Amino acid sequence: MNTPWTDVLTLGLRGRGWPTEARDRPFDRLPAADTALLEPDLARLTRQAAGLYVDFVTAADTITARWRIDDAFAGSDSPYTTPLAFAGLELYGMTADGSWRWAGCLGPNGPAGGEGALSRARLDGVERRYRLYLPLRSRVLSCEISASRDGDSAAIHAVQAGPPSPHETRERPVCYYGTSIVHGVGVDRPGMAHASQLDRALHREVINLGVAGRARCETEIADALGRLDPALFVFDVLPNNSADEVRSRVPAFVKRIRNHHPETPILLLGDREFGDFVFCPERSSTKIAKDAALVEVSEALRRDNCSHLFLSLHENWFGRDAEGTVDASHPNSLGAHRFASVLAELIRPLMQTHKS
C-alpha cells in the first residue's frame, strides 16, 4: 500500500536558532535578514543544513525518506566529505536507557537528493523516539518521511505528542560557532559531526553554526548570535585565524556578544594539534602561538570585566595518535567522537554551575 508522507517541518525542526524569524528557505540555518548582510560565499555556507535534525516517535518496522537538495554532492568543495555526509540522511533511535544508537542511513540517489528506506533491515516495530539528521553540506529544499509496519501505514508523531523522555532537557540550547571542523568536514555521516555527537551526549539541543573556511569573528554573525538565548556559547575559531588575528578579532567579537548577553557563559576553545605534528614541527609552533594569543585575549577580557568567560586548551582534541584525523587538520568520525567526549566533560559542570 502507499503510505502517507509527513513533511518533517510539521514535526519540529531542531538544531536551528531563531525559530520565529523568516528565512529564504525553512532549512537555512540563518534568518533571511542576516543572510542578506553576508558576502555571497559565507551566505551560501550558512544555507547548508549542518546540525539540523528532526525527532519523532513511531512503532514502524520500516521508515522511508525522500528529500530534495539544490547542491550536487559531486560539487563538494572538500575531497574528504563523503556523499553520505554531504547530501545524505542518518537515523538514530533512542534505547530504553535513554542512549542514542545508530539505526540507519541513506545516501543520495543523484544530484538532487534521494528516496528510500533508512534501515537496511526491518526494524523491531517497538514504539520509540527516532532522530533524523539532515545533510551536512547541502541546502535542503524539502524532506519527508513515511512509516509502515507489516505492510500497513504506521503513525508518526511529533515528540511532544509521543511518550515523554526522562532523558532530554527542555532547557536552552548550546550555540556552537566555529570553522569547517564544527561544520562537519571530514566525518563520514551527517550525525557524526562532533556538534551533533555533543547534542546526543548532553541530551541538549546544540545549534551548529560551523562555517567551512570561515569563522573569522564576523560582525554580522555576532549580531545574529546576540538575538539567541542559549545556555552557553562555544567559540572555536582558532583554526581559521592567525595568532595576530586572534588578538585583533576575538575581543571585539566577544564584547559584541556581551552587549546582548552579559551573564551567559562563553567557552573559548584552543586550537587543534595537526595530526602530522610529529613530522612537521612547525605545526606545533603554530598551535602554541595561537593558544598563547587566546590566553592573552581571555585574560584581557576578564580584566575588562567580561565575566563568565572560560578557556580550554587541549593537547589534541582528536587524540594524539593521529588516527582521529582525515587530513591532519579535520577530524574523521573517530576524532569527532573524541572531541565531543572531551567537550561534554567540559560543558556539563558549566551547565550545573550556571544552572542554564
Side-chain angles (χ1 to χ4, degrees), residues 4-225:
W5 290 98
T6 299
D7 186 335
V8 299
L9 293 174
T10 66
L11 300 172
L13 192 61
R14 302 185 181 215
R16 187 190 70 168
W18 310 275
T20 63
E21 298 189 34
R23 284 169 162 77
D24 294 324
R25 295 275 186 177
F27 297 98
D28 291 354
R29 287 185 288 166
L30 282 182
D34 298 296
T35 305
L37 300 175
L38 304 176
E39 56 90 7
D41 191 55
L42 179 54
R44 177 184 65 85
L45 292 166
T46 66
R47 293 186 175 106
Q48 296 172 351
L52 301 188
Y53 62 91
V54 61
D55 285 358
F56 59 95
V57 174
T58 187
D61 60 30
T62 302
I63 301 172
T64 303
R66 65 183 183 189
W67 72 105
R68 293 191 305 117
I69 58 174
D70 73 353
D71 292 308
F73 66 81
S76 171
D77 54 7
S78 169
Y80 313 110
T81 302
T82 66
L84 173 59
F86 189 86
L89 306 178
E90 185 171 21
L91 184 70
Y92 281 76
M94 180 175 278
T95 63
D97 67 359
S99 61
W100 288 101
R101 293 292 299 264
W102 183 84
C105 59
L106 184 62
N109 305 135
E115 179 176 342
L118 288 161
S119 177
R120 289 182 176 270
R122 281 169 59 97
L123 300 168
D124 58 13
V126 173
E127 184 175 71
R128 65 167 53 87
R129 179 174 176 172
Y130 289 96
R131 175 165 294 176
L132 181 68
Y133 286 99
L134 300 183
L136 289 172
R137 299 300 308 275
S138 296
R139 190 185 195 189
V140 175
L141 303 178
S142 66
C143 183
E144 299 171 294
I145 56 175
S146 68
S148 62
R149 180 172 179 173
D150 297 326
D152 294 325
S153 177
I156 295 174
H157 303 287
V159 165
Q160 53 267 35
S165 168
H167 310 286
E168 184 197 30
T169 174
R170 293 291 187 183
E171 296 179 286
R172 292 176 294 157
V174 172
C175 176
Y176 197 157
Y177 168 68
T179 66
S180 54
I181 293 171
V182 181
H183 201 144
V185 170
V187 302
D188 55 359
R189 309 193 309 266
M192 290 304 288
H194 74 275
S196 296
Q197 295 194 54
L198 183 63
D199 186 313
R200 296 195 297 275
L202 296 175
H203 289 285
R204 183 188 290 258
E205 187 176 5
V206 174
I207 298 171
N208 183 334
L209 289 174
V211 278
R214 298 310 176 101
R216 297 182 180 131
C217 302
E218 299 87 354
T219 298
E220 298 85 356
I221 297 293
D223 289 340
L225 297 184

